[in-house]
PDB file of all heavy atoms in Angstrom:
ATOM      1  N   MET A   1     -90.186 182.526-156.581  1.00  0.00           N
ATOM      2  CA  MET A   1     -89.267 181.555-156.780  1.00  0.00           C
ATOM      3  C   MET A   1     -87.815 182.078-156.408  1.00  0.00           C
ATOM      4  O   MET A   1     -87.556 183.244-156.726  1.00  0.00           O
ATOM      5  CB  MET A   1     -89.231 180.944-158.165  1.00  0.00           C
ATOM      6  CG  MET A   1     -88.413 179.729-158.192  1.00  0.00           C
ATOM      7  SD  MET A   1     -88.415 179.051-159.940  1.00  0.00           S
ATOM      8  CE  MET A   1     -87.273 180.212-160.733  1.00  0.00           C
ATOM      9  N   SER A   2     -87.007 181.341-155.881  1.00  0.00           N
ATOM     10  CA  SER A   2     -85.742 181.687-155.610  1.00  0.00           C
ATOM     11  C   SER A   2     -84.914 182.005-156.867  1.00  0.00           C
ATOM     12  O   SER A   2     -84.939 181.161-157.811  1.00  0.00           O
ATOM     13  CB  SER A   2     -84.944 180.615-154.754  1.00  0.00           C
ATOM     14  OG  SER A   2     -83.605 180.681-154.852  1.00  0.00           O
ATOM     15  N   GLU A   3     -84.144 182.963-156.833  1.00  0.00           N
ATOM     16  CA  GLU A   3     -83.265 183.394-157.976  1.00  0.00           C
ATOM     17  C   GLU A   3     -82.204 182.246-158.137  1.00  0.00           C
ATOM     18  O   GLU A   3     -81.848 182.029-159.214  1.00  0.00           O
ATOM     19  CB  GLU A   3     -82.604 184.610-157.721  1.00  0.00           C
ATOM     20  CG  GLU A   3     -82.845 185.647-158.721  1.00  0.00           C
ATOM     21  CD  GLU A   3     -82.326 186.970-158.276  1.00  0.00           C
ATOM     22  OE1 GLU A   3     -82.879 187.675-157.563  1.00  0.00           O
ATOM     23  OE2 GLU A   3     -81.061 187.317-158.631  1.00  0.00           O
ATOM     24  N   GLY A   4     -81.874 181.712-157.056  1.00  0.00           N
ATOM     25  CA  GLY A   4     -80.859 180.716-157.057  1.00  0.00           C
ATOM     26  C   GLY A   4     -81.133 179.459-158.195  1.00  0.00           C
ATOM     27  O   GLY A   4     -80.260 178.979-158.726  1.00  0.00           O
ATOM     28  N   LYS A   5     -82.388 179.202-158.177  1.00  0.00           N
ATOM     29  CA  LYS A   5     -82.761 178.014-159.034  1.00  0.00           C
ATOM     30  C   LYS A   5     -82.585 178.350-160.484  1.00  0.00           C
ATOM     31  O   LYS A   5     -82.498 177.474-161.303  1.00  0.00           O
ATOM     32  CB  LYS A   5     -84.363 177.810-158.781  1.00  0.00           C
ATOM     33  CG  LYS A   5     -84.646 177.196-157.630  1.00  0.00           C
ATOM     34  CD  LYS A   5     -86.163 176.948-157.485  1.00  0.00           C
ATOM     35  CE  LYS A   5     -86.621 176.770-156.017  1.00  0.00           C
ATOM     36  NZ  LYS A   5     -87.989 176.905-155.921  1.00  0.00           N
ATOM     37  N   ILE A   7     -79.948 179.685-161.695  1.00  0.00           N
ATOM     38  CA  ILE A   7     -78.562 179.889-162.051  1.00  0.00           C
ATOM     39  C   ILE A   7     -78.166 178.872-163.214  1.00  0.00           C
ATOM     40  O   ILE A   7     -78.579 177.589-163.223  1.00  0.00           O
ATOM     41  CB  ILE A   7     -77.662 179.603-160.857  1.00  0.00           C
ATOM     42  CG1 ILE A   7     -77.499 180.942-160.187  1.00  0.00           C
ATOM     43  CG2 ILE A   7     -76.363 178.931-161.116  1.00  0.00           C
ATOM     44  CD1 ILE A   7     -76.609 180.861-159.013  1.00  0.00           C
ATOM     45  N   ILE A  34     -74.300 176.275-145.330  1.00  0.00           N
ATOM     46  CA  ILE A  34     -75.847 175.968-145.232  1.00  0.00           C
ATOM     47  C   ILE A  34     -76.199 174.784-146.122  1.00  0.00           C
ATOM     48  O   ILE A  34     -75.987 174.812-147.341  1.00  0.00           O
ATOM     49  CB  ILE A  34     -76.600 177.182-145.549  1.00  0.00           C
ATOM     50  CG1 ILE A  34     -76.191 178.389-144.702  1.00  0.00           C
ATOM     51  CG2 ILE A  34     -78.081 176.930-145.641  1.00  0.00           C
ATOM     52  CD1 ILE A  34     -77.348 179.251-144.183  1.00  0.00           C
ATOM     53  N   ARG A  38     -82.796 167.973-146.004  1.00  0.00           N
ATOM     54  CA  ARG A  38     -83.430 166.935-146.731  1.00  0.00           C
ATOM     55  C   ARG A  38     -82.421 166.048-147.487  1.00  0.00           C
ATOM     56  O   ARG A  38     -82.644 164.896-147.796  1.00  0.00           O
ATOM     57  CB  ARG A  38     -84.655 167.368-147.692  1.00  0.00           C
ATOM     58  CG  ARG A  38     -85.757 167.899-146.859  1.00  0.00           C
ATOM     59  CD  ARG A  38     -86.589 168.724-147.918  1.00  0.00           C
ATOM     60  NE  ARG A  38     -85.984 169.797-148.658  1.00  0.00           N
ATOM     61  CZ  ARG A  38     -86.495 170.306-149.689  1.00  0.00           C
ATOM     62  NH1 ARG A  38     -87.631 170.075-150.247  1.00  0.00           N
ATOM     63  NH2 ARG A  38     -85.752 171.486-150.282  1.00  0.00           N
ATOM     64  N   LEU A  61     -77.973 172.634-140.943  1.00  0.00           N
ATOM     65  CA  LEU A  61     -78.848 171.790-141.672  1.00  0.00           C
ATOM     66  C   LEU A  61     -80.173 172.708-141.923  1.00  0.00           C
ATOM     67  O   LEU A  61     -80.955 172.503-140.934  1.00  0.00           O
ATOM     68  CB  LEU A  61     -79.023 170.418-141.051  1.00  0.00           C
ATOM     69  CG  LEU A  61     -77.830 169.596-140.900  1.00  0.00           C
ATOM     70  CD1 LEU A  61     -78.261 168.052-140.254  1.00  0.00           C
ATOM     71  CD2 LEU A  61     -77.103 169.419-142.232  1.00  0.00           C
ATOM     72  N   ASN A  62     -80.317 173.255-142.824  1.00  0.00           N
ATOM     73  CA  ASN A  62     -81.427 174.223-143.014  1.00  0.00           C
ATOM     74  C   ASN A  62     -82.700 173.530-143.515  1.00  0.00           C
ATOM     75  O   ASN A  62     -82.675 172.409-144.037  1.00  0.00           O
ATOM     76  CB  ASN A  62     -81.015 175.513-143.845  1.00  0.00           C
ATOM     77  CG  ASN A  62     -82.073 176.443-143.766  1.00  0.00           C
ATOM     78  OD1 ASN A  62     -82.553 176.812-142.774  1.00  0.00           O
ATOM     79  ND2 ASN A  62     -82.341 177.169-144.975  1.00  0.00           N
ATOM     80  N   LYS A  63     -83.730 174.139-143.389  1.00  0.00           N
ATOM     81  CA  LYS A  63     -85.096 173.770-143.783  1.00  0.00           C
ATOM     82  C   LYS A  63     -85.446 172.450-142.882  1.00  0.00           C
ATOM     83  O   LYS A  63     -86.047 171.499-143.280  1.00  0.00           O
ATOM     84  CB  LYS A  63     -85.157 173.282-145.187  1.00  0.00           C
ATOM     85  CG  LYS A  63     -84.737 174.386-146.149  1.00  0.00           C
ATOM     86  CD  LYS A  63     -85.130 174.141-147.616  1.00  0.00           C
ATOM     87  CE  LYS A  63     -84.546 175.239-148.416  1.00  0.00           C
ATOM     88  NZ  LYS A  63     -84.989 175.226-149.823  1.00  0.00           N
ATOM     89  N   LYS A  64     -85.189 172.567-141.649  1.00  0.00           N
ATOM     90  CA  LYS A  64     -85.357 171.468-140.703  1.00  0.00           C
ATOM     91  C   LYS A  64     -86.785 171.096-140.608  1.00  0.00           C
ATOM     92  O   LYS A  64     -87.181 170.006-140.367  1.00  0.00           O
ATOM     93  CB  LYS A  64     -84.722 171.677-139.405  1.00  0.00           C
ATOM     94  CG  LYS A  64     -85.428 172.646-138.529  1.00  0.00           C
ATOM     95  CD  LYS A  64     -84.927 172.666-137.028  1.00  0.00           C
ATOM     96  CE  LYS A  64     -85.763 173.345-136.127  1.00  0.00           C
ATOM     97  NZ  LYS A  64     -85.364 173.326-134.707  1.00  0.00           N
ATOM     98  N   ASP A  65     -87.614 172.236-140.844  1.00  0.00           N
ATOM     99  CA  ASP A  65     -89.161 171.941-140.697  1.00  0.00           C
ATOM    100  C   ASP A  65     -89.518 171.137-141.905  1.00  0.00           C
ATOM    101  O   ASP A  65     -90.619 170.441-141.868  1.00  0.00           O
ATOM    102  CB  ASP A  65     -89.787 173.311-140.944  1.00  0.00           C
ATOM    103  CG  ASP A  65     -89.362 173.966-142.013  1.00  0.00           C
ATOM    104  OD1 ASP A  65     -88.128 174.496-142.159  1.00  0.00           O
ATOM    105  OD2 ASP A  65     -90.256 174.342-142.972  1.00  0.00           O
ATOM    106  N   MET A  66     -88.782 170.723-142.938  1.00  0.00           N
ATOM    107  CA  MET A  66     -89.098 169.999-143.967  1.00  0.00           C
ATOM    108  C   MET A  66     -88.590 168.603-143.819  1.00  0.00           C
ATOM    109  O   MET A  66     -88.984 167.680-144.534  1.00  0.00           O
ATOM    110  CB  MET A  66     -88.644 170.550-145.335  1.00  0.00           C
ATOM    111  CG  MET A  66     -89.167 171.912-145.453  1.00  0.00           C
ATOM    112  SD  MET A  66     -88.637 172.565-147.198  1.00  0.00           S
ATOM    113  CE  MET A  66     -90.009 172.192-148.191  1.00  0.00           C
ATOM    114  N   LEU A  89     -81.837 173.991-138.481  1.00  0.00           N
ATOM    115  CA  LEU A  89     -82.443 175.366-138.357  1.00  0.00           C
ATOM    116  C   LEU A  89     -83.586 175.585-139.322  1.00  0.00           C
ATOM    117  O   LEU A  89     -83.580 174.942-140.416  1.00  0.00           O
ATOM    118  CB  LEU A  89     -81.217 176.340-138.741  1.00  0.00           C
ATOM    119  CG  LEU A  89     -81.315 177.806-138.185  1.00  0.00           C
ATOM    120  CD1 LEU A  89     -80.815 177.708-136.711  1.00  0.00           C
ATOM    121  CD2 LEU A  89     -80.374 178.712-138.877  1.00  0.00           C
ATOM    122  N   ASP A  90     -84.424 176.417-139.033  1.00  0.00           N
ATOM    123  CA  ASP A  90     -85.393 176.996-139.935  1.00  0.00           C
ATOM    124  C   ASP A  90     -84.997 178.434-140.143  1.00  0.00           C
ATOM    125  O   ASP A  90     -85.266 179.266-139.185  1.00  0.00           O
ATOM    126  CB  ASP A  90     -86.833 176.835-139.391  1.00  0.00           C
ATOM    127  CG  ASP A  90     -87.940 177.520-140.264  1.00  0.00           C
ATOM    128  OD1 ASP A  90     -87.460 178.148-141.148  1.00  0.00           O
ATOM    129  OD2 ASP A  90     -89.054 177.194-140.133  1.00  0.00           O
ATOM    130  N   ALA A  91     -84.339 178.709-141.229  1.00  0.00           N
ATOM    131  CA  ALA A  91     -83.796 180.062-141.439  1.00  0.00           C
ATOM    132  C   ALA A  91     -84.821 181.111-141.503  1.00  0.00           C
ATOM    133  O   ALA A  91     -84.469 182.340-141.383  1.00  0.00           O
ATOM    134  CB  ALA A  91     -82.924 180.133-142.664  1.00  0.00           C
ATOM    135  N   ARG A  92     -86.041 180.754-141.644  1.00  0.00           N
ATOM    136  CA  ARG A  92     -87.090 181.857-141.718  1.00  0.00           C
ATOM    137  C   ARG A  92     -87.589 182.296-140.388  1.00  0.00           C
ATOM    138  O   ARG A  92     -88.077 183.313-140.284  1.00  0.00           O
ATOM    139  CB  ARG A  92     -88.347 181.233-142.503  1.00  0.00           C
ATOM    140  CG  ARG A  92     -87.879 180.861-143.880  1.00  0.00           C
ATOM    141  CD  ARG A  92     -89.188 179.868-144.492  1.00  0.00           C
ATOM    142  NE  ARG A  92     -89.531 178.914-143.444  1.00  0.00           N
ATOM    143  CZ  ARG A  92     -90.521 178.245-143.382  1.00  0.00           C
ATOM    144  NH1 ARG A  92     -91.426 178.345-144.358  1.00  0.00           N
ATOM    145  NH2 ARG A  92     -90.791 177.226-142.509  1.00  0.00           N
ATOM    146  N   ASN A  93     -87.139 181.531-139.340  1.00  0.00           N
ATOM    147  CA  ASN A  93     -87.518 181.828-137.987  1.00  0.00           C
ATOM    148  C   ASN A  93     -86.618 182.758-137.373  1.00  0.00           C
ATOM    149  O   ASN A  93     -85.338 182.549-137.210  1.00  0.00           O
ATOM    150  CB  ASN A  93     -87.641 180.553-137.298  1.00  0.00           C
ATOM    151  CG  ASN A  93     -88.229 180.551-135.928  1.00  0.00           C
ATOM    152  OD1 ASN A  93     -88.170 181.568-135.280  1.00  0.00           O
ATOM    153  ND2 ASN A  93     -88.970 179.635-135.532  1.00  0.00           N
ATOM    154  N   ILE A 129     -71.298 183.171-145.174  1.00  0.00           N
ATOM    155  CA  ILE A 129     -72.325 182.143-145.380  1.00  0.00           C
ATOM    156  C   ILE A 129     -72.106 181.479-146.773  1.00  0.00           C
ATOM    157  O   ILE A 129     -72.070 182.201-147.761  1.00  0.00           O
ATOM    158  CB  ILE A 129     -73.641 182.684-145.448  1.00  0.00           C
ATOM    159  CG1 ILE A 129     -74.103 183.565-144.096  1.00  0.00           C
ATOM    160  CG2 ILE A 129     -74.894 181.771-145.717  1.00  0.00           C
ATOM    161  CD1 ILE A 129     -74.198 182.660-143.015  1.00  0.00           C
ATOM    162  N   VAL A 130     -71.912 180.205-146.845  1.00  0.00           N
ATOM    163  CA  VAL A 130     -71.725 179.516-148.120  1.00  0.00           C
ATOM    164  C   VAL A 130     -72.807 178.452-148.267  1.00  0.00           C
ATOM    165  O   VAL A 130     -73.358 177.867-147.286  1.00  0.00           O
ATOM    166  CB  VAL A 130     -70.414 179.028-148.316  1.00  0.00           C
ATOM    167  CG1 VAL A 130     -69.252 180.063-148.124  1.00  0.00           C
ATOM    168  CG2 VAL A 130     -70.063 177.908-147.266  1.00  0.00           C
ATOM    169  N   GLY A 131     -72.968 178.097-149.593  1.00  0.00           N
ATOM    170  CA  GLY A 131     -73.881 176.976-149.816  1.00  0.00           C
ATOM    171  C   GLY A 131     -74.376 176.965-151.228  1.00  0.00           C
ATOM    172  O   GLY A 131     -74.021 177.869-152.101  1.00  0.00           O
ATOM    173  N   ILE A 132     -74.944 175.845-151.710  1.00  0.00           N
ATOM    174  CA  ILE A 132     -75.347 175.774-153.045  1.00  0.00           C
ATOM    175  C   ILE A 132     -76.673 176.461-153.251  1.00  0.00           C
ATOM    176  O   ILE A 132     -77.370 176.904-152.233  1.00  0.00           O
ATOM    177  CB  ILE A 132     -75.590 174.209-153.403  1.00  0.00           C
ATOM    178  CG1 ILE A 132     -76.702 173.483-152.637  1.00  0.00           C
ATOM    179  CG2 ILE A 132     -74.303 173.403-153.256  1.00  0.00           C
ATOM    180  CD1 ILE A 132     -77.263 172.322-153.333  1.00  0.00           C
ATOM    181  N   PRO A 133     -77.064 176.871-154.466  1.00  0.00           N
ATOM    182  CA  PRO A 133     -78.348 177.594-154.600  1.00  0.00           C
ATOM    183  C   PRO A 133     -79.499 176.844-153.870  1.00  0.00           C
ATOM    184  O   PRO A 133     -79.574 175.772-153.949  1.00  0.00           O
ATOM    185  CB  PRO A 133     -78.466 177.694-156.124  1.00  0.00           C
ATOM    186  CG  PRO A 133     -77.172 177.490-156.722  1.00  0.00           C
ATOM    187  CD  PRO A 133     -76.370 176.568-155.741  1.00  0.00           C
ATOM    188  N   ASN A 134     -80.364 177.717-153.474  1.00  0.00           N
ATOM    189  CA  ASN A 134     -81.717 177.129-152.995  1.00  0.00           C
ATOM    190  C   ASN A 134     -81.435 176.657-151.564  1.00  0.00           C
ATOM    191  O   ASN A 134     -82.532 175.994-150.947  1.00  0.00           O
ATOM    192  CB  ASN A 134     -82.316 176.087-153.803  1.00  0.00           C
ATOM    193  CG  ASN A 134     -83.798 176.088-153.833  1.00  0.00           C
ATOM    194  OD1 ASN A 134     -84.472 177.108-153.434  1.00  0.00           O
ATOM    195  ND2 ASN A 134     -84.383 174.862-153.701  1.00  0.00           N
ATOM    196  N   SER A 135     -80.374 176.647-150.999  1.00  0.00           N
ATOM    197  CA  SER A 135     -80.129 176.107-149.655  1.00  0.00           C
ATOM    198  C   SER A 135     -80.748 176.984-148.470  1.00  0.00           C
ATOM    199  O   SER A 135     -80.996 176.515-147.470  1.00  0.00           O
ATOM    200  CB  SER A 135     -78.697 175.690-149.390  1.00  0.00           C
ATOM    201  OG  SER A 135     -77.822 176.917-149.574  1.00  0.00           O
ATOM    202  N   GLY A 136     -80.798 178.202-148.927  1.00  0.00           N
ATOM    203  CA  GLY A 136     -81.496 179.178-147.871  1.00  0.00           C
ATOM    204  C   GLY A 136     -80.551 180.295-147.449  1.00  0.00           C
ATOM    205  O   GLY A 136     -80.819 180.825-146.438  1.00  0.00           O
ATOM    206  N   LYS A 137     -79.424 180.598-148.214  1.00  0.00           N
ATOM    207  CA  LYS A 137     -78.399 181.425-147.705  1.00  0.00           C
ATOM    208  C   LYS A 137     -78.943 182.844-147.647  1.00  0.00           C
ATOM    209  O   LYS A 137     -78.940 183.647-146.573  1.00  0.00           O
ATOM    210  CB  LYS A 137     -77.244 181.511-148.756  1.00  0.00           C
ATOM    211  CG  LYS A 137     -76.487 180.282-148.788  1.00  0.00           C
ATOM    212  CD  LYS A 137     -75.447 180.390-150.015  1.00  0.00           C
ATOM    213  CE  LYS A 137     -76.107 180.657-151.340  1.00  0.00           C
ATOM    214  NZ  LYS A 137     -76.949 179.438-151.751  1.00  0.00           N
ATOM    215  N   SER A 138     -79.836 183.298-148.658  1.00  0.00           N
ATOM    216  CA  SER A 138     -80.355 184.689-148.650  1.00  0.00           C
ATOM    217  C   SER A 138     -81.465 184.819-147.486  1.00  0.00           C
ATOM    218  O   SER A 138     -81.570 185.782-146.851  1.00  0.00           O
ATOM    219  CB  SER A 138     -81.116 184.981-149.990  1.00  0.00           C
ATOM    220  OG  SER A 138     -80.188 184.670-150.983  1.00  0.00           O
ATOM    221  N   THR A 139     -82.219 183.719-147.338  1.00  0.00           N
ATOM    222  CA  THR A 139     -83.228 183.757-146.255  1.00  0.00           C
ATOM    223  C   THR A 139     -82.508 183.940-144.885  1.00  0.00           C
ATOM    224  O   THR A 139     -82.947 184.719-144.100  1.00  0.00           O
ATOM    225  CB  THR A 139     -83.993 182.425-146.317  1.00  0.00           C
ATOM    226  OG1 THR A 139     -84.516 182.226-147.450  1.00  0.00           O
ATOM    227  CG2 THR A 139     -85.084 182.403-145.216  1.00  0.00           C
ATOM    228  N   PHE A 140     -81.490 183.137-144.773  1.00  0.00           N
ATOM    229  CA  PHE A 140     -80.793 183.340-143.468  1.00  0.00           C
ATOM    230  C   PHE A 140     -80.195 184.700-143.286  1.00  0.00           C
ATOM    231  O   PHE A 140     -80.356 185.376-142.181  1.00  0.00           O
ATOM    232  CB  PHE A 140     -79.543 182.195-143.383  1.00  0.00           C
ATOM    233  CG  PHE A 140     -78.745 182.477-142.150  1.00  0.00           C
ATOM    234  CD1 PHE A 140     -79.383 181.851-140.810  1.00  0.00           C
ATOM    235  CD2 PHE A 140     -77.548 183.123-141.991  1.00  0.00           C
ATOM    236  CE1 PHE A 140     -78.604 182.063-139.691  1.00  0.00           C
ATOM    237  CE2 PHE A 140     -76.875 183.197-140.885  1.00  0.00           C
ATOM    238  CZ  PHE A 140     -77.401 182.789-139.657  1.00  0.00           C
ATOM    239  N   ILE A 141     -79.638 185.264-144.247  1.00  0.00           N
ATOM    240  CA  ILE A 141     -78.936 186.563-144.149  1.00  0.00           C
ATOM    241  C   ILE A 141     -80.128 187.659-143.905  1.00  0.00           C
ATOM    242  O   ILE A 141     -79.908 188.469-143.054  1.00  0.00           O
ATOM    243  CB  ILE A 141     -78.133 186.992-145.358  1.00  0.00           C
ATOM    244  CG1 ILE A 141     -76.965 186.092-145.494  1.00  0.00           C
ATOM    245  CG2 ILE A 141     -77.713 188.440-145.393  1.00  0.00           C
ATOM    246  CD1 ILE A 141     -75.992 186.361-146.657  1.00  0.00           C
ATOM    247  N   ASN A 142     -81.113 187.449-144.544  1.00  0.00           N
ATOM    248  CA  ASN A 142     -82.248 188.425-144.346  1.00  0.00           C
ATOM    249  C   ASN A 142     -82.875 188.301-142.889  1.00  0.00           C
ATOM    250  O   ASN A 142     -83.229 189.291-142.223  1.00  0.00           O
ATOM    251  CB  ASN A 142     -83.430 188.185-145.321  1.00  0.00           C
ATOM    252  CG  ASN A 142     -83.127 188.611-146.657  1.00  0.00           C
ATOM    253  OD1 ASN A 142     -82.268 189.487-146.860  1.00  0.00           O
ATOM    254  ND2 ASN A 142     -83.863 188.079-147.674  1.00  0.00           N
ATOM    255  N   LYS A 151     -80.152 190.159-153.654  1.00  0.00           N
ATOM    256  CA  LYS A 151     -79.261 188.935-153.739  1.00  0.00           C
ATOM    257  C   LYS A 151     -78.205 189.047-154.813  1.00  0.00           C
ATOM    258  O   LYS A 151     -78.115 188.430-155.726  1.00  0.00           O
ATOM    259  CB  LYS A 151     -80.191 187.874-154.333  1.00  0.00           C
ATOM    260  CG  LYS A 151     -81.256 187.377-153.089  1.00  0.00           C
ATOM    261  CD  LYS A 151     -82.128 186.356-153.731  1.00  0.00           C
ATOM    262  CE  LYS A 151     -81.817 185.039-153.152  1.00  0.00           C
ATOM    263  NZ  LYS A 151     -82.620 183.924-153.759  1.00  0.00           N
ATOM    264  N   ASN A 154     -75.876 186.334-156.070  1.00  0.00           N
ATOM    265  CA  ASN A 154     -76.404 185.144-156.917  1.00  0.00           C
ATOM    266  C   ASN A 154     -76.256 185.698-158.458  1.00  0.00           C
ATOM    267  O   ASN A 154     -76.474 184.684-159.257  1.00  0.00           O
ATOM    268  CB  ASN A 154     -77.823 184.931-156.675  1.00  0.00           C
ATOM    269  CG  ASN A 154     -77.951 183.861-155.475  1.00  0.00           C
ATOM    270  OD1 ASN A 154     -76.936 183.245-155.137  1.00  0.00           O
ATOM    271  ND2 ASN A 154     -79.167 183.546-155.311  1.00  0.00           N
ATOM    272  N   PRO A 177     -73.664 186.138-149.952  1.00  0.00           N
ATOM    273  CA  PRO A 177     -73.433 184.717-149.635  1.00  0.00           C
ATOM    274  C   PRO A 177     -72.506 184.108-150.767  1.00  0.00           C
ATOM    275  O   PRO A 177     -72.599 184.576-151.867  1.00  0.00           O
ATOM    276  CB  PRO A 177     -74.850 184.083-149.788  1.00  0.00           C
ATOM    277  CG  PRO A 177     -75.599 185.108-150.467  1.00  0.00           C
ATOM    278  CD  PRO A 177     -75.046 186.394-150.343  1.00  0.00           C
ATOM    279  N   GLY A 178     -71.716 183.068-150.334  1.00  0.00           N
ATOM    280  CA  GLY A 178     -70.863 182.417-151.289  1.00  0.00           C
ATOM    281  C   GLY A 178     -71.726 181.337-151.973  1.00  0.00           C
ATOM    282  O   GLY A 178     -72.233 180.501-151.390  1.00  0.00           O
ATOM    283  N   ILE A 179     -71.762 181.405-153.371  1.00  0.00           N
ATOM    284  CA  ILE A 179     -72.592 180.334-154.058  1.00  0.00           C
ATOM    285  C   ILE A 179     -71.601 179.301-154.431  1.00  0.00           C
ATOM    286  O   ILE A 179     -70.574 179.436-155.159  1.00  0.00           O
ATOM    287  CB  ILE A 179     -73.082 180.938-155.419  1.00  0.00           C
ATOM    288  CG1 ILE A 179     -73.602 182.324-155.207  1.00  0.00           C
ATOM    289  CG2 ILE A 179     -74.124 180.009-155.964  1.00  0.00           C
ATOM    290  CD1 ILE A 179     -74.857 182.492-154.545  1.00  0.00           C
ATOM    291  N   ARG A 271     -92.362 168.475-152.373  1.00  0.00           N
ATOM    292  CA  ARG A 271     -91.679 169.862-152.034  1.00  0.00           C
ATOM    293  C   ARG A 271     -92.708 170.681-151.229  1.00  0.00           C
ATOM    294  O   ARG A 271     -92.236 171.555-150.488  1.00  0.00           O
ATOM    295  CB  ARG A 271     -91.535 170.515-153.418  1.00  0.00           C
ATOM    296  CG  ARG A 271     -90.409 169.881-154.171  1.00  0.00           C
ATOM    297  CD  ARG A 271     -90.181 170.718-155.431  1.00  0.00           C
ATOM    298  NE  ARG A 271     -89.139 170.029-156.318  1.00  0.00           N
ATOM    299  CZ  ARG A 271     -88.982 170.486-157.555  1.00  0.00           C
ATOM    300  NH1 ARG A 271     -89.693 171.391-158.018  1.00  0.00           N
ATOM    301  NH2 ARG A 271     -88.054 169.919-158.337  1.00  0.00           N
ATOM    302  N   LEU A 273     -94.512 169.603-148.799  1.00  0.00           N
ATOM    303  CA  LEU A 273     -94.818 168.799-147.517  1.00  0.00           C
ATOM    304  C   LEU A 273     -96.108 168.157-147.404  1.00  0.00           C
ATOM    305  O   LEU A 273     -96.310 167.666-146.308  1.00  0.00           O
ATOM    306  CB  LEU A 273     -94.735 169.964-146.310  1.00  0.00           C
ATOM    307  CG  LEU A 273     -93.231 170.466-146.106  1.00  0.00           C
ATOM    308  CD1 LEU A 273     -93.494 171.526-144.997  1.00  0.00           C
ATOM    309  CD2 LEU A 273     -92.403 169.355-145.658  1.00  0.00           C
TER     310      LEU A 273
HETATM  311  P1  LIG B   1     -80.379 180.734-151.692  1.00  0.00           P
HETATM  312  O1  LIG B   1     -80.215 182.138-151.247  1.00  0.00           O
HETATM  313  O2  LIG B   1     -79.413 179.915-151.002  1.00  0.00           O
HETATM  314  O3  LIG B   1     -80.531 180.447-153.158  1.00  0.00           O
HETATM  315  O4  LIG B   1     -81.875 180.285-151.117  1.00  0.00           O
HETATM  316  P2  LIG B   1     -83.007 181.127-150.560  1.00  0.00           P
HETATM  317  O5  LIG B   1     -82.670 181.986-149.371  1.00  0.00           O
HETATM  318  O6  LIG B   1     -83.519 181.962-151.707  1.00  0.00           O
HETATM  319  O7  LIG B   1     -84.111 180.060-150.216  1.00  0.00           O
HETATM  320  C1  LIG B   1     -84.540 179.178-151.224  1.00  0.00           C
HETATM  321  C2  LIG B   1     -86.065 178.872-150.947  1.00  0.00           C
HETATM  322  O8  LIG B   1     -86.162 178.159-149.617  1.00  0.00           O
HETATM  323  C3  LIG B   1     -87.095 179.956-150.652  1.00  0.00           C
HETATM  324  O9  LIG B   1     -88.153 179.463-150.954  1.00  0.00           O
HETATM  325  C4  LIG B   1     -86.992 180.111-149.203  1.00  0.00           C
HETATM  326  O10 LIG B   1     -88.187 180.786-148.647  1.00  0.00           O
HETATM  327  C5  LIG B   1     -86.916 178.715-148.743  1.00  0.00           C
HETATM  328  N1  LIG B   1     -86.363 178.466-147.416  1.00  0.00           N
HETATM  329  C6  LIG B   1     -85.205 178.938-146.957  1.00  0.00           C
HETATM  330  N2  LIG B   1     -84.997 178.542-145.736  1.00  0.00           N
HETATM  331  C7  LIG B   1     -86.007 177.728-145.307  1.00  0.00           C
HETATM  332  C8  LIG B   1     -86.374 176.896-144.109  1.00  0.00           C
HETATM  333  O11 LIG B   1     -85.690 176.757-143.278  1.00  0.00           O
HETATM  334  N3  LIG B   1     -87.637 176.199-144.194  1.00  0.00           N
HETATM  335  C9  LIG B   1     -88.390 176.293-145.341  1.00  0.00           C
HETATM  336  N4  LIG B   1     -89.462 175.590-145.232  1.00  0.00           N
HETATM  337  N5  LIG B   1     -88.109 177.010-146.416  1.00  0.00           N
HETATM  338  C10 LIG B   1     -86.942 177.712-146.493  1.00  0.00           C
HETATM  339  P3  LIG B   1     -88.966 179.893-152.517  1.00  0.00           P
HETATM  340  O12 LIG B   1     -90.329 179.337-152.445  1.00  0.00           O
HETATM  341  O13 LIG B   1     -87.961 179.544-153.587  1.00  0.00           O
HETATM  342  O14 LIG B   1     -88.991 181.483-152.518  1.00  0.00           O
HETATM  343  P4  LIG B   1     -89.975 182.311-151.549  1.00  0.00           P
HETATM  344  O15 LIG B   1     -91.123 182.436-152.459  1.00  0.00           O
HETATM  345  O16 LIG B   1     -90.169 181.731-150.261  1.00  0.00           O
HETATM  346  O17 LIG B   1     -89.152 183.685-151.434  1.00  0.00           O
END
Side-chain angles (χ1 to χ4, degrees):
M1 189 183 77
S2 160
E3 235 172 277
K5 285 179 199 165
I7 276 195
I34 306 222
R38 294 167 300 170
L61 301 183
N62 191 39
K63 309 195 184 186
K64 73 167 188 176
D65 54 297
M66 304 182 93
L89 210 71
D90 175 346
R92 301 163 310 167
N93 190 326
I129 304 292
V130 301
I132 68 166
N134 206 39
S135 55
K137 298 175 294 301
S138 310
T139 305
F140 178 77
I141 292 178
N142 286 338
K151 287 178 119 190
N154 273 357
I179 319 286
R271 289 183 188 165
L273 290 175

